[in-house]
Amino acid sequence: MSERYDVIVIGGGTGGYPAAIRAGQLGQKVACINAWLNRDGKPAFGGTCLNAGCIPSKALLESSEMLHKAQHELTLHGISTGKVAFDLAAMQARKDKISSGLTGGIGALFKANGVTGIEGWAKLLGDGKVEVTPHKGDKQVLEAEHIIVATGSEPVQLKIAPHDGEFIVDSWDALDFTAVPKRLGIIGAGVIGVELGSVWSRLGAQTVLLEAVDTFLPMVDAAISKEALRHYGKQGLDIRLGAKVIKAEKKGKGVQVSFEFKGKTETETFDKLIVAVGRRPFTDKLGAKDVGLELDERGFIKVDKGYRTNLKNVYATGDVIGGAMLAHKAIEEGVALVEQLAGHHTQVNYKAVPSVIYTSPEVAWVGLSEAEAKAAGHEVKTGATSFAGNGRAKALEAAVGQIKVIADAKTDRILGVHMVGPYVSELLAEAVLALEFAATCEDIALTMHGHPTLSENFHEAVLSVDGRAIHAINKKKAA
Ligand code: NAD
């Protein structure tokens, strides 16, 4: 007799493990099967986010930012130090400790919520059955009333730039460099490109980003992406827009990259080349073909609004179904699904998905850009205020950037908030809440904000929509 569960979650990343925990809280008998092995061969829950993405990259971003502050900002505060140096091995060890601390904690959360964690590969057999090939021990077959596939995504590899893990690397490899490359090339100036570029450039790498498209960060409001690009340029990131890489190969001790730029073919040589051109759904070893699980033409699992696949009682959530490839979107989908399976009425609000780029200054946005709002047929009114007049930002030596608010002129509803500036990753939560509660500009205008805080600048930006900002020169007459 095979062991029977109410819910089996396949995948222990952010799409999977929170869903398993929530199912446990709801009194379900649940197992979470996870195949992830770290580079040291050790299994770990937490998936890309905790092991090879969000968390380790944030650890290195913070360390490299600290170095930058020590080198360039402390003197502005009147603090002098001796020669500032850094130990990359110590930085990497700190990063690894943060990741392992968090991934290790998932075991404790599973225990507290009655989740059975299983380390190994899962394959769909049909009729509610799942075959597990554990990293250690014999194969077994489990059964469940409901099966959730949350197997995530992996970096896209380019045939024109074949991955070798040493010279031509992906975003995971690039978090584990043991020495700072002298010259670093990055294909793709998307979210991963600019975050990893910031890390290694701050640590001393001469960094060039080759971006095929002419528009920088096209999902961000144009005023914000333009300002972000200006700051990155000032920091030394060499971002070449409209540079389409056509070939990359190892030459001697480096990588030679050819790209089309302004109608000509150019070449550059780098010590390392990071390929950061997006992520693709990961469905290997799931047995999708054998069991008849329907995928779309790009390999994403097809689901309906209730996350149902074409197979009875098999569901899918997170990166593997497409949409924004963000950890928090995956978490919300997994949790909403298990709640729905338990008879609750929950849903994910795809109009209020926060996005953040953890560079310095940070970029963060939720909802529509001005161009998107106009294209969607809204009569748009906007406001924007810079951080230049914000006291807290000045005290932080970070008075750069701006907040832009996009609202519907007829209803006063806030449609989007896009920002670049200090800690906007944290400020974004208020804007997400505004969208979630369908707030109007008036609602925010009437909300008191602490002084002196960075969040005051959101208040000011909303006030500026109607020409009412107090600490900024309004571009329009006050309403
Ligand atoms: P991306 O889609 O953000 O950017 C990839 C870029 O590569 C695109 O701009 C594309 O035009 C460019 N490109 C593709 N082929 C090229 C070529 N031959 N030459 C030059 N440029 C080329 O993808 P990403 O940065 O790899 O990120 C992957 C996913 O992970 C995204 O969905 C992202 O949102 C997510 N992610 C999020 C965070 C965060 O939330 N902070 C951090 C990392 C990753």
Side-chain angles (χ1 to χ4, degrees), residues 206-284:
Q206 200 188 338
T207 305
V208 180
L209 291 97
L210 301 169
E211 168 55 58
V213 173
D214 286 320
T215 315
F216 182 56
L217 301 176
M219 58 291 196
V220 182
D221 188 276
I224 303 300
S225 57
K226 191 175 159 202
E227 178 157 1
L229 183 61
R230 190 164 57 78
H231 289 298
Y232 299 155
K234 277 205 299 199
Q235 289 161 13
L237 285 181
D238 180 354
I239 301 177
R240 301 190 199 165
L241 301 176
K244 188 172 189 299
V245 174
I246 47 175
K247 193 168 178 55
E249 57 187 339
K250 191 174 168 274
K251 277 265 165 76
K253 284 187 177 166
V255 186
Q256 196 178 69
V257 181
S258 310
F259 55 99
E260 287 166 1
F261 189 53
K262 296 183 178 164
K264 283 196 279 192
T265 300
E266 299 197 4
T267 54
E268 285 275 2
T269 305
F270 301 108
D271 299 302
K272 302 257 187 201
L273 178 71
I274 304 172
V275 177
V277 296
R279 299 181 61 85
R280 58 183 284 277
F282 184 82
T283 50
D284 293 8

Side-chain angles (χ1 to χ4, degrees), residues 109-121:
L109 294 173
F110 276 1
K111 205 167 169 204
N113 291 288
V115 178
T116 304
I118 299 171
E119 275 149 353
W121 290 97

